[in-house]
Amino acid sequence: MGKLHRWGAVRWTIPMVSGPLIIASFVVAKAFGADEVGNVFMVAAAATGTPIVITAARALRLRVIGIDLLVSVAVIGALIIGQYWEGAAVTFLFGLGRDLEVATLNRTRSALAELVSIAPNVAVVMREGEQVEVPAASVVMGETVLVKNGAKVPVDGEVIAGTGALDEASITGESMPVEKSAGDRVFAGTVSKGGFLQAKATGVGADTTLARIIRRVEEAQDAKARTQQFMDRFSSWYTPAIMVLALAVGLISGDVVLALTLLVIGCPGALVISIPVSIVAGIGRAAKDGILIKGGEFLETSARITAVAVDKTGTLTTGRPHLTDVVVLDPRVDRAQVLTWAARAEAGSEHPLARPILTAAAAQKLTTVGLPEHTAPVPGKGIAATTYGHLVLVGNLTLLEQYGVADTVDAAGAVERLAAAGRTSMIVAVDDMVAGVVAVADEVREDAAQMVAELHWAGVRKVIMLTGDTPLVAKAIGAAVGVDEVHAGLLPEDKLLVVQELQRQGHIVAMVGDGVNDAPALAAAHIGVAMGAAGSAVAVETSDIALMGDNLLKLPEAIALAKSTVANMRQNIAIALTTVSMLLLGVLLGGVTMAIGMLAHEISVLVVIVNAMRLLRRKCSPDMRATPTRAPTRVPALAQHA
């Protein structure tokens, strides 16, 4: 019995054996007029379906009534009443349809297969001063890996020497090669397009970004959507109902053939497969484009998103503020001196705005060597530092008032003017005198405005910016990118309250953030989205949607794909239900035989699968001709890092 089942499990075995037997039956009957011999061939053809009967029996022992049982009862019944051709035809068509279904389903899982295929097998490492080729899985953390032109990167790592260009499409979905040099991160499975890199291994084997993506895609494609869970419950009573209906029709009409035909055409194959095949294809398409969707439930929810809350810094903006203004207020100093004093004080600061000041001072070759003798950060106000024997204050008016600095009228006016222009300002005071004001500004990502427009195009009614920055700064950024609402001056718990308020208003909310100070809002939102998740194990494992690259346009692409997938699921359900309804009507009115019913049933299964496979095609981005892409816009940096 086990050998028979294994024999039947080999793909194409049943149709390849039963098909020739059916042809032989017709040839013998026509050429020699030997109907009895022809019937023997037909029975033999039907008997090739024995593995189907075995599968049905095993499922029945587990109290599962499936399609195999319906087909088995129909074939055995047809043989008992002498309908040999019908029994053989049903066996052949069911076997052929099942094998075609498996083949096409494997095609929909192509994204996962492609990810697995790009996993590198070998690595070249430096051991005892020599280049050694070893299996990729045997590379040890911290070892130096060599990546030559045309080779796959075998591990996650950090470049320690050399330069080169890597094709990271397998990770981020972006087709353009990325230049790499010392300090940059590299990912397993990416391909060198030129140059020579030496990288220190920071992730090997199952700990690489590629391995996590493969694991997440595999789990996501198997995770059931709510609609699929409903269909599973539906089929659990639908199949027994068809058997009861067939039995009732047979008893009432006395027509056994009619009852058996009802069993065959009532098979819910297309209905059962209609949803999972769409989910597998949709998640697979997303994975190819560098978008990880956690599972069918999140795919369905994403299709209903009506509001998107976006963190500002690092999402809508580059997160890399630059020095824009140095205003001199003390006639005894010049611009370079104001910047020098600010840089000397900020040298001991951890504040995110210290970096652009130090960078600008270094670029202008100003003397800022060494750390202050004493540094005292004042939360919410700025920093007080003792350097070169002078007390230097860098911060807001409140900081100056706290340290008793007088004559701040000019400083207040300068701050007000810069704020109106959308810049984040810091007053620089040396001892008891205000020297000047420095201002910094962030840059809006060049695709931020297009992302907002495409989100609206994809059906999102509200795009909201959440930030801890000041209202003037936030409004300037909001106007630059075209968001619907701006919420400024927020703490992490305030962002959570905004998300909850949107949900109370009936919105399905997606929250896009960095997963650190946005963690409460990300957890509360219906869909949490992580940007630039490549290399971040936490983002890949915990977010509902992980955008592997740093491309903002992947967000509207993900939502549009989710909507297409859900629409595809509904189309498949309609195809399946329409086919079954038409066949049932045809049987009851006459004209639909058992063989015709099985043929139509298998065709409907294939139509459903082919329809789902349309999702695997790469679609063009939305037509954004009405919203031209903007050039990078200089906008204010954050006052408190959002």
Side-chain angles (χ1 to χ4, degrees), residues 169-405:
S170 58
I171 302 295
T172 66
E174 300 296 333
S175 57
M176 293 297 293
V178 180
E179 295 293 331
K180 299 289 183 179
S181 58
D184 291 334
R185 302 187 69 177
V186 295
F187 306 111
T190 56
V191 181
S192 173
K193 293 298 183 182
F196 178 73
L197 296 172
Q198 298 179 50
K200 182 177 72 174
T202 58
V204 299
D207 291 328
T208 65
T209 297
L210 178 63
R212 286 192 292 270
I213 293 174
I214 292 172
R215 183 167 62 250
R216 175 55 70 200
V217 172
E218 187 175 38
E219 292 170 355
Q221 289 187 333
D222 291 334
K224 294 184 178 181
R226 291 178 182 175
T227 306
Q228 185 182 349
Q229 293 170 2
F230 169 77
M231 294 306 298
D232 288 345
R233 292 193 298 270
F234 173 78
S235 62
S236 68
W237 63 261
Y238 170 84
T239 304
I242 286 293
M243 298 189 73
V244 172
L245 174 64
L247 179 61
V249 168
L251 292 174
I252 294 171
S253 66
D255 189 341
V256 178
V257 175
L258 176 61
L260 294 174
T261 304
L262 279 174
L263 281 180
V264 170
I265 60 94
C267 290
L271 196 60
V272 170
I273 204 173
S274 59
I275 295 171
V277 71
S278 295
I279 291 173
V280 167
I283 289 176
R285 172 70 270 165
K288 285 184 178 181
D289 292 337
I291 303 168
L292 285 186
I293 302 177
K294 195 171 183 179
E297 179 180 351
F298 301 102
L299 189 69
E300 276 192 322
T301 303
S302 297
R304 298 185 292 117
I305 289 172
T306 58
V308 174
V310 186
D311 178 44
K312 175 181 72 68
T313 305
T315 305
L316 292 178
T317 66
T318 62
R320 295 185 296 273
H322 302 272
L323 182 75
T324 57
D325 299 88
V326 177
V327 179
V328 179
L329 297 177
D330 188 338
R332 293 172 297 179
V333 298
D334 57 20
R335 182 184 186 281
Q337 288 173 307
V338 172
L339 181 56
T340 299
W341 284 117
R344 287 174 177 175
E346 293 287 5
S349 172
E350 297 178 352
H351 196 279
L353 296 186
R355 178 51 51 193
I357 294 173
L358 292 169
T359 301
Q364 296 178 33
K365 296 183 171 54
L366 301 178
T367 305
T368 59
V369 180
L371 295 174
E373 293 96 70
H374 177 72
T375 300
V378 184
K381 299 178 183 179
I383 188 171
T386 302
T387 177
Y388 290 87
H390 296 274
L391 174 64
V392 181
L393 306 176
V394 181
N396 54 27
L397 288 169
T398 309
L399 176 69
L400 270 62
E401 292 171 2
Q402 179 176 326
Y403 279 82
V405 177

Side-chain angles (χ1 to χ4, degrees), residues 370-631:
L371 295 174
E373 293 96 70
H374 177 72
T375 300
V378 184
K381 299 178 183 179
I383 188 171
T386 302
T387 177
Y388 290 87
H390 296 274
L391 174 64
V392 181
L393 306 176
V394 181
N396 54 27
L397 288 169
T398 309
L399 176 69
L400 270 62
E401 292 171 2
Q402 179 176 326
Y403 279 82
V405 177
D407 193 18
T408 59
V409 175
D410 290 342
V415 168
E416 187 175 346
R417 288 192 300 273
L418 290 167
R423 290 170 170 79
T424 299
S425 304
M426 290 163 284
I427 305 169
V428 180
V430 182
D431 295 325
D432 295 329
M433 298 299 296
V434 176
V437 178
V438 293
V440 296
D442 203 349
E443 282 184 351
V444 170
R445 291 175 183 263
E446 62 180 43
D447 52 0
Q450 185 177 350
M451 178 203 72
V452 174
E454 289 194 14
L455 283 173
H456 286 139
W457 182 90
V460 176
R461 297 203 298 271
K462 274 188 176 183
V463 181
I464 298 132
M465 186 180 77
L466 308 181
T467 179
D469 216 335
T470 61
L472 277 175
V473 171
K475 286 178 182 178
I477 297 173
V481 301
V483 296
D484 301 299
E485 292 181 13
V486 173
H487 296 265
L490 303 180
L491 297 173
E493 53 267 30
D494 298 323
K495 295 180 181 181
L496 169 62
L497 294 176
V498 173
V499 168
Q500 291 174 334
E501 177 58 29
L502 287 169
Q503 291 172 330
R504 279 193 292 271
Q505 293 172 9
H507 287 286
I508 303 298
V509 183
M511 173 67 194
V512 187
D514 60 16
V516 182
N517 64 340
D518 301 316
L522 284 165
H526 295 99
I527 296 292
V529 182
M531 281 284 300
S536 170
V538 174
V540 172
E541 297 297 332
T542 61
S543 58
D544 302 323
I545 296 179
L547 308 179
M548 302 308 296
D550 213 22
N551 184 351
L552 287 177
L553 300 184
K554 292 293 183 183
L555 179 58
E557 182 182 334
I559 294 175
L561 178 61
K563 288 179 179 290
S564 296
T565 304
V566 170
N568 191 273
M569 288 162 50
R570 291 170 179 163
Q571 293 164 5
N572 283 346
I573 292 171
I575 291 169
L577 290 176
T578 300
T579 301
V580 171
S581 300
M582 295 297 291
L583 287 175
L584 282 172
L585 186 61
V587 170
L588 296 176
L589 296 178
V592 176
T593 64
M594 194 184 304
I596 292 175
M598 178 54 70
L599 178 61
H601 168 265
E602 296 302 338
I603 289 174
S604 71
V605 170
L606 293 178
V607 168
V608 160
I609 295 175
V610 170
N611 184 50
M613 288 176 66
R614 294 189 301 112
L615 293 168
L616 294 174
R617 296 182 301 182
R618 184 183 295 274
K619 295 183 179 180
C620 296
S621 59
D623 184 358
M624 300 308 299
R625 287 171 292 185
T627 309
T629 303
R630 306 185 186 192

